[in-house]
Structure formats: C-alpha cells, structure tokens
C-alpha cells in the first residue's frame, strides 16, 4: 500500500504540473512553438526517468508509465531536429557557427553528468577507469551523430552539389535507413535505439511543412482531436496485444503509436493555452533531468541500498534529480556562455 500511495502522489503531481492552467482559446492556432514544446518536454522528461528505474525498485504504476517513455525520447529527437532546421531556415549565418552554437550546450552538461554517474556507480562497486569519464550518455552520442549528419547534409555537401531541394529527403532517408539497419541487423549504428531516432526525421519534416501543418490542424479542431485520440487509443491496445510480434508489433506498431500520440497531443494543444510555472520549469531543465537521473539512481542505491519502499525510492529519486538538474543548469550556463564567447572571438 505504501508503494501505491507514493506512486499515486507522483501521478497526481505529474497531472497537476501538466494540466494546471490549461484553458481553451479560439484565437490560438500554434504548432511547435517554444511554449508548446517546453510544455511537452516538461511532461515527457519525468516519464523518461521512470522507465530506467532499477529492476529491484520497479512497480506496476512505474512500469505502466515508463512504457510510453520511448515516445518522449522520440519527441526529444523531433524537437531537436525541428530547432536545427527552423534556425537554419530563419537565422542568417546559422550554419557558419553551427558547432559553436550547438556543441557546448549539449556536451558540457553531458560530461559533468557522466562524471557524476560514474562516481556514483563506483560507490556501488563498479569498475572505474579514466575512459569512463568521457563515455557520455548513449542518447547524447546518438544525438550528436545526427547533428554531424545534419551539418554534412546542409552545410558541407551543398558546396559540391547545387540545389537544396534534395537535402531534406536525404536527411530523412539516412535517419530511416539507420533505423532499419539497427532493427534488422546486428550492426547498431544508433546503439539500442531503433524507433526513437526516427523523431529526427519527423522534426525535419515538421519544420519544412510547419505552415501547412499549422493551417491544417487548426481546422475542425475538436473533431480531429477526438479522431486522433481514438486512433491513439486503438493503436495502443493493438500494440499491447501484438508487442511480442516481430516487425509488425515491436517495430511498425510501435512507430505508429508514437506518431499517433504525438499528433494527438499537438492537435489538442493547438487551441489550448498550456503551461504553468512548474511545467515550464521542468521543460527548461528536461535535458539535465535526462542525463542525470541514472546517476541519481546509483546515488540512492549507494546511500540506501535496496531497503527502501519502491514508491518512496521513485519519488525521492525524481526529487533529487530535479534538485541536481537545477544545480547543473546553473553551473553550466556561465561555462557555456564563456566557451561560446571565446569561440566567437577566434
């Protein structure tokens, strides 16, 4: 009962920080705005934490919520690609200082968070080596891989090939090809993620057709929201039933479910004013939450072992992760600005 009491509290807090302050606005007609994206990042970052809870501390509610975490990871890839493509299309000279703009905000926090995680795991008896401190989070590695490909496709290759119409298609084709290779072969280009990196292709397409999408989703809002909700629900039921089925269940249906839920959420908030201070706060530190939570789990085990109640462990770990995420954010911001300033002078 104690486990479910704590998990019930966590579910309530997630719901409260997500739903508080939402109201209908007939004048709103947005798609992938900063506010809407921050809102969804704030929601998904906690769900992603739950899927990585150590096996000894898992419970039914945590497992149920964590089952949807792959959609959150897909969403993070999607918004990253959207930001890159939108910035390139709307900011003059954006690609000229691409790495100076993008690398420090990703790599500096990742290196510090990895050092923390390695140290905490060492307290639990894990082997420690100098290379461990540069072996950053796997998801960050995959994200940087796609940043490199983005830079090659949109910055380097056009120097030899004229025209830009082909670039978006090539970028999406590479993302899809990597996913298929990862799923059907033992050659894991994107490590353990096969479906989630497809979000990078979604983001490229969303940025390319943002105007048309915004116009389309604003019409017949209620009817479309209901239809997408039913589609997401039906796909979810089918996924739960056919999840063990090779290709059809654990790959294709998983992709369709992710698209359906993401489309439903974006359609729904097209006419809804969303977000509050708590949710916006979560959205701003979502990256730090993602790269820190595994280290926090190791810290909690080092301090308390496996004696805690499951629900208490989950709630306490989320709380500690949020606190450390704030500290990491504040620590890294001046470092990032300093590196970018020095780089711009060279």
């Amino acid at each position: 009962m104690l486990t479910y009491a704590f998990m019930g509290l966590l579910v309530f807090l997630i719901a409260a920080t997500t739903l508080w302050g939402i109201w209908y606005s007939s004048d709103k007609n947005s798609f992938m705005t900063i506010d809407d994206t921050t809102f969804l990042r704030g929601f998904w970052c906690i769900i992603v934490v739950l899927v990585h809870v150590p096996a000894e501390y898992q419970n039914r509610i945590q497992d149920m919520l964590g089952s949807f975490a792959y959609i959150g990871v897909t969403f993070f890839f999607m918004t990253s690609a959207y930001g890159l493509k939108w910035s390139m299309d709307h900011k003059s000279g954006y690609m000229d200082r691409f790495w100076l703009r993008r690398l420090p905000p990703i790599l500096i926090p990742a290196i510090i968070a990895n050092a923390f995680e390695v140290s905490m795991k060492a307290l639990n008896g894990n082997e420690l080596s100098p290379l461990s401190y540069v072996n950053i989070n796997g998801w960050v590695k995959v994200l940087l891989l796609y940043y490199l490909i983005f830079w090659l496709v949109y910055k380097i290759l056009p120097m030899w090939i004229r025209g830009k119409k082909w670039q978006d298609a090539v970028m999406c084709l590479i993302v899809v090809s990597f996913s298929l290779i990862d799923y059907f072969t033992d050659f894991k280009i994107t490590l353990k993620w096969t479906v989630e990196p497809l979000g990078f292709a979604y983001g490229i397409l969303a940025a390319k057709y943002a105007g048309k999408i915004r116009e389309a989703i604003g019409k017949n809002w209620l009817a479309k929201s209901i239809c997408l909700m039913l589609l997401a629900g039906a796909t979810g039921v089918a996924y739960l039933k056919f999840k063990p089925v090779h290709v059809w269940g654990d790959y294709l249906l998983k992709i369709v479910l992710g698209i359906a839920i993401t489309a439903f959420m974006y359609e729904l908030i097209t006419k809804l004013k969303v977000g509050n201070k708590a949710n916006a706060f979560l959205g701003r530190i979502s990256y730090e939450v993602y790269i820190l939570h595994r280290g926090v789990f190791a810290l909690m085990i080092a301090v308390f072992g496996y004696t805690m109640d499951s629900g208490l462990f989950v709630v306490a770990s989320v709380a500690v992760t949020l606190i450390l995420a704030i500290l990491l954010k504040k620590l890294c911001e001046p470092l990032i600005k300093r590196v970018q300033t020095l780089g711009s002078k060279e």
Side-chain angles (χ1 to χ4, degrees):
M1 290 298 295
L2 186 61
T3 293
Y4 293 109
F6 278 112
M7 292 306 300
L9 173 63
L10 181 61
V11 170
F12 170 78
L13 291 174
I14 292 174
T17 56
T18 303
L19 301 177
W20 182 263
I22 288 182
W23 53 283
Y24 173 76
S25 174
S26 59
D27 296 330
K28 185 185 178 188
N29 187 35
S30 64
F31 174 67
M32 294 288 284
T33 63
I34 293 177
D35 289 341
D36 288 350
T37 299
T38 300
F39 165 76
L40 292 174
R41 279 178 173 266
F43 168 75
W44 282 120
C45 73
I46 303 300
I47 304 300
V48 171
V49 171
L50 298 180
V51 76
H52 296 134
V53 171
E56 295 83 356
Y57 279 116
Q58 293 184 4
N59 58 71
R60 289 185 179 180
I61 297 178
Q62 164 270 323
D63 182 63
M64 178 185 67
L65 294 174
S67 297
F68 296 93
Y70 83 92
I71 302 174
V73 178
T74 304
F75 174 78
F76 290 140
F77 275 113
M78 176 181 171
T79 54
S80 295
Y82 183 93
L84 295 182
K85 181 72 166 64
W86 188 93
S87 297
M88 183 190 70
D89 290 341
H90 294 84
K91 296 181 180 180
S92 178
Y94 179 79
M95 295 301 290
D96 294 336
R97 294 188 175 274
F98 178 79
W99 291 112
L100 184 61
R101 294 172 187 267
R102 300 311 313 154
L103 199 58
I106 293 175
L107 206 52
I108 292 175
I111 291 173
I112 296 174
N114 180 69
F116 167 72
E117 181 179 347
V118 169
S119 300
M120 294 305 101
K121 288 183 176 179
L123 294 178
N124 292 316
N126 289 40
E127 292 186 5
L128 185 64
S129 71
L131 291 177
S132 301
Y133 286 100
V134 296
N135 188 23
I136 60 174
N137 183 282
W139 179 82
V140 177
K141 292 178 184 177
V142 176
L143 182 64
L144 290 175
L145 169 64
Y146 281 113
Y147 273 31
L148 174 60
I149 296 171
F150 181 91
W151 179 71
L152 291 172
V153 170
Y154 291 96
K155 174 64 177 177
I156 302 301
L157 294 185
M159 295 180 182
W160 291 279
I161 303 175
R162 293 183 179 181
K164 295 185 177 181
K165 293 183 179 180
W166 57 272
Q167 291 172 289
D168 296 332
V170 169
M171 187 71 235
C172 292
L173 180 62
I174 291 173
V175 174
V176 172
S177 297
F178 282 6
S179 176
L180 292 172
I181 292 171
D182 286 344
Y183 183 80
F184 287 104
T185 74
D186 293 329
F187 188 58
K188 305 302 180 184
I189 302 173
T190 57
L191 306 178
K192 63 180 180 180
W193 293 276
T194 55
V195 169
E196 294 87 342
L198 289 171
F200 208 90
Y202 307 157
I204 296 295
L205 295 175
K208 181 179 178 64
Y209 299 107
K212 294 181 179 179
I213 295 173
R214 187 181 299 108
E215 181 180 350
I217 63 179
K219 299 177 181 178
N220 301 316
W221 169 76
L222 182 59
K224 288 180 180 176
S225 296
I226 293 174
C227 289
L228 285 172
M229 179 182 66
L230 294 175
L231 174 62
T235 308
V237 172
Y239 175 65
L240 291 176
K241 182 177 181 180
F242 297 105
K243 184 178 179 180
V245 180
H246 186 58
V247 183
W248 165 248
D250 65 352
Y251 186 69
L252 295 177
L253 265 178
K254 191 175 183 180
I255 293 172
V256 174
L257 177 60
I259 294 174
I261 291 179
T262 302
F264 165 65
M265 296 179 80
Y266 265 114
E267 177 67 44
L268 191 64
I269 63 178
T270 298
K271 292 292 184 180
L272 295 179
K273 290 284 188 179
V274 296
N276 51 65
K277 290 184 177 180
N279 172 266
F281 158 76
L282 289 175
R284 287 193 297 270
I285 63 170
S286 58
Y287 177 65
E288 288 76 13
V289 167
Y290 186 88
I291 60 178
L292 275 171
H293 69 273
R294 290 180 183 270
V296 171
F297 290 147
L299 169 63
M300 297 292 289
I301 293 173
V303 175
F304 299 102
Y306 296 99
T307 62
M308 294 181 70
D309 172 80
S310 172
L312 177 58
F313 176 87
V314 173
V315 172
S317 295
V318 170
V320 173
T321 299
L322 295 180
I323 293 171
L324 293 182
I326 298 172
L327 296 177
L328 181 61
K329 185 85 171 178
K330 291 185 177 296
L331 172 65
C332 290
E333 283 180 344
L335 293 176
I336 293 168
K337 290 181 180 178
R338 181 63 174 167
V339 171
Q340 291 178 327
T341 301
L342 290 174
S344 63
K345 293 179 179 179
E346 294 180 356

